[in-house]
Coordinates of all heavy atoms in Angstrom, one line a residue:
Chain O
R699 N -19.7 -30.2 -0.8 CA -20.3 -31.2 -1.7 C -21.8 -31.2 -1.7 O -22.4 -31.7 -2.5 CB -19.7 -32.6 -1.3 CG -18.3 -32.7 -1.6 CD -18.1 -33.5 -2.9 NE -16.9 -33.1 -3.4 CZ -16.5 -33.2 -4.8 NH1 -17.3 -33.8 -5.6 NH2 -15.3 -32.8 -5.3
G728 N -17.9 -6.8 -8.0 CA -18.3 -7.3 -9.2 C -18.9 -8.5 -9.3 O -19.0 -9.1 -10.5
V758 N -32.8 -16.8 -1.7 CA -31.6 -17.3 -2.3 C -31.0 -18.4 -1.4 O -31.2 -18.5 -0.3 CB -30.6 -16.1 -2.4 CG1 -31.1 -15.1 -3.2 CG2 -30.1 -15.7 -1.0
D829 N -43.3 -30.9 -16.7 CA -42.2 -31.8 -16.7 C -40.9 -31.0 -16.2 O -40.1 -31.5 -15.5 CB -41.9 -32.4 -18.1 CG -43.0 -33.2 -18.6 OD1 -43.8 -33.7 -17.8 OD2 -43.2 -33.4 -19.8
V838 N -28.4 -30.4 -8.0 CA -27.4 -30.2 -9.0 C -26.2 -31.1 -8.8 O -25.5 -31.1 -7.8 CB -26.8 -28.7 -8.9 CG1 -25.7 -28.4 -9.9 CG2 -28.0 -27.7 -9.0
T944 N -15.2 4.4 33.4 CA -14.2 4.1 32.3 C -13.2 3.1 32.8 O -13.0 2.9 34.0 CB -13.5 5.4 31.9 OG1 -12.9 6.0 33.0 CG2 -14.5 6.4 31.2
P1183 N 6.5 -21.2 -10.8 CA 6.5 -20.5 -12.1 C 5.6 -19.4 -12.3 O 5.7 -18.5 -13.0 CB 6.1 -21.7 -13.1 CG 5.4 -22.7 -12.2 CD 6.0 -22.5 -10.8
T1206 N 18.4 7.8 -7.9 CA 19.2 8.9 -7.3 C 18.7 9.1 -5.8 O 17.9 8.2 -5.4 CB 18.8 10.3 -8.0 OG1 17.5 10.6 -7.8 CG2 19.1 10.1 -9.6
I1266 N -4.3 -1.3 -5.9 CA -3.1 -0.5 -5.9 C -3.3 0.8 -5.1 O -2.5 1.2 -4.3 CB -2.7 -0.2 -7.3 CG1 -2.2 -1.5 -8.0 CG2 -1.7 0.8 -7.4 CD1 -1.9 -1.4 -9.5
A1291 N -10.9 14.0 8.0 CA -10.1 15.2 8.1 C -8.7 14.8 8.7 O -7.6 15.4 8.5 CB -10.7 16.3 8.9
S1316 N -10.0 -20.4 -12.3 CA -10.0 -19.0 -12.0 C -10.0 -18.8 -10.5 O -10.7 -19.5 -9.7 CB -11.2 -18.3 -12.5 OG -11.3 -18.5 -13.9
K1366 N 24.8 3.1 -1.9 CA 24.8 2.0 -1.1 C 23.8 0.9 -1.5 O 24.0 -0.3 -1.3 CB 24.3 2.6 0.3 CG 24.8 1.8 1.5 CD 24.1 2.3 2.8 CE 24.7 3.6 3.4 NZ 24.0 3.9 4.6

Side-chain angles (χ1 to χ4, degrees):
Chain O
R699 290 263 154 199
V758 304
D829 296 344
V838 178
T944 57
T1206 69
I1266 289 171
S1316 301
K1366 209 190 279 183

